[in-house]
Amino acid sequence: MIFVPAAAAATFLVGAAVQGAIGASFVVAGTPIKTSAELVKSYGAAEFGSFVETKDGREIPVYVVANRRVESYNLCQSYLLPSPVGPVTIRIVAGTEGRPVVSQHQVTKATMLEAGHATYTDFEFGRDASTLDQVPGISGPAGVPGVQATAVVARNARQVFLATSSARLDLPDLRLRVLLGVHECF
């Protein structure tokens, strides 16, 4: 129930951003969120360095990863909340029964990416980020090196991010748990 309004808001924000109605940035909480997946298939990828801003005006450097479509198998997402009784983990699991989590027009502001193995198709590195064209409506600042590819496949992927948005998000086999203690995805 908590995730559905957030997904709806993200859908509106990204849809409006892609149509040019609003900017693609929003103020982030600054709390690291961890995501892991056994297999990630991305179609139409654009990547570049940028910054996000917290409510108190602090700018945090991030690596923007945008995709036209992402399919994630065995997805786990978690973050920690401080509480009077100690840390609390919010943990979401989806795409575990052979059907992937599917995201359309996804934009993620990451602070860490790693994979056991990644394969890029039609790879371009060093292209000016302002000229990236694999994800409609998404480009970076002029003069910043960018990366793009028609497809990316990553196995045993891990990511730490501060924000993500998607025009559409389909979460089969969704389970959300609030757990006392530290029970992160990795």
Side-chain angles (χ1 to χ4, degrees):
M1 289 177 20
I2 294 170
F3 193 72
V4 171
T11 298
F12 167 77
L13 288 172
V14 171
V18 168
Q19 295 170 6
I22 60 174
S25 296
F26 54 88
V27 174
V28 301
T31 300
I33 302 161
K34 293 183 175 181
T35 298
S36 63
E38 184 178 310
L39 175 65
V40 178
K41 297 178 180 180
S42 302
Y43 304 96
E47 305 172 5
F48 53 89
S50 189
F51 293 88
V52 293
E53 186 176 336
T54 62
K55 188 173 181 179
D56 62 6
R58 189 169 43 107
E59 285 196 343
I60 302 170
V62 293
Y63 191 65
V64 176
V65 179
N67 298 280
R68 282 193 321 268
R69 178 183 171 91
V70 179
E71 298 173 0
S72 302
Y73 295 82
N74 294 320
L75 178 74
C76 178
Q77 189 173 76
S78 64
Y79 64 93
L80 297 176
L81 291 175
S83 81
V85 295
V88 173
T89 304
I90 306 297
R91 186 178 171 116
I92 299 167
V93 177
T96 59
E97 302 296 321
R99 294 181 308 159
V101 171
V102 177
S103 178
Q104 302 285 344
H105 240 49
Q106 178 176 298
V107 180
T108 300
K109 315 292 178 59
T111 58
M112 188 278 290
L113 299 168
E114 66 180 41
H117 185 90
T119 303
Y120 286 72
T121 302
D122 299 323
F123 177 73
E124 296 178 351
F125 178 65
R127 181 172 172 161
D128 191 290
S130 68
T131 69
L132 298 175
D133 58 9
Q134 280 296 317
V135 183
I138 303 296
S139 61
V144 171
V147 173
Q148 72 176 16
T150 58
V152 180
V153 176
R155 296 190 180 283
N156 301 318
R158 292 180 174 188
Q159 180 181 67
V160 178
F161 67 93
L162 298 178
T164 194
S165 56
S166 178
R168 180 177 168 88
L169 184 61
D170 181 29
L171 297 148
D173 314 312
L174 174 66
R175 293 186 311 275
L176 182 141
R177 302 284 187 265
V178 178
L179 305 164
L180 288 176
V182 178
H183 302 280
E184 295 177 289
C185 297
F186 63 90

